Amino acid sequence: KFRKKVDELLLEKKKTKCKVESLEESVTANQKIIDVLSKEKKENHLAIEKLQQSVKLYEEKVTIILQEKDRIDFERSKLEKTTEKCRKEADEILKEKEEI
């Protein structure tokens, strides 16, 4: 009876050892997965930073372009006013010539 109990305990010990080894393998595999995911997370973070820098750069370029557009619109408006003034002066000069 005692021998039977010892055999049962030894068998239980072997089963427990196998379970522990299996769990250790799972832990090792999971750690490798965690390492890969951590590396991917760092790479994604760097990619996000680069994209944010690109967006900021494009926003700055758009701001410069809009400022240049405003300046061009202002210059165009000045030229249109000057052109209109010159036309009026030319019309007046022509009228004066006709009167003479």
Side-chain angles (χ1 to χ4, degrees), residues 14-75:
K14 279 185 182 180
K15 288 180 184 177
T16 302
K17 184 179 178 185
C18 286
K19 287 180 184 177
V20 168
E21 288 172 354
S22 176
L23 288 173
E24 287 173 345
E25 289 172 7
S26 292
V27 166
T28 301
N30 286 339
Q31 187 57 50
K32 287 179 182 177
I33 291 170
I34 289 169
D35 292 345
V36 168
L37 291 175
S38 294
K39 183 180 176 190
E40 287 178 3
K41 180 182 176 184
K42 286 178 187 175
E43 290 170 354
N44 288 340
H45 183 71
L46 290 174
I48 288 169
E49 285 181 355
K50 285 181 182 179
L51 286 171
Q52 288 172 335
Q53 289 172 354
S54 293
V55 166
K56 186 176 180 181
L57 188 64
Y58 284 118
E59 286 174 343
E60 290 171 0
K61 287 180 179 180
V62 166
T63 300
I64 291 168
I65 290 169
L66 290 174
Q67 289 171 346
E68 186 66 12
K69 180 192 174 296
D70 288 345
R71 189 190 66 75
I72 290 170
D73 288 345
F74 177 74
E75 291 296 325

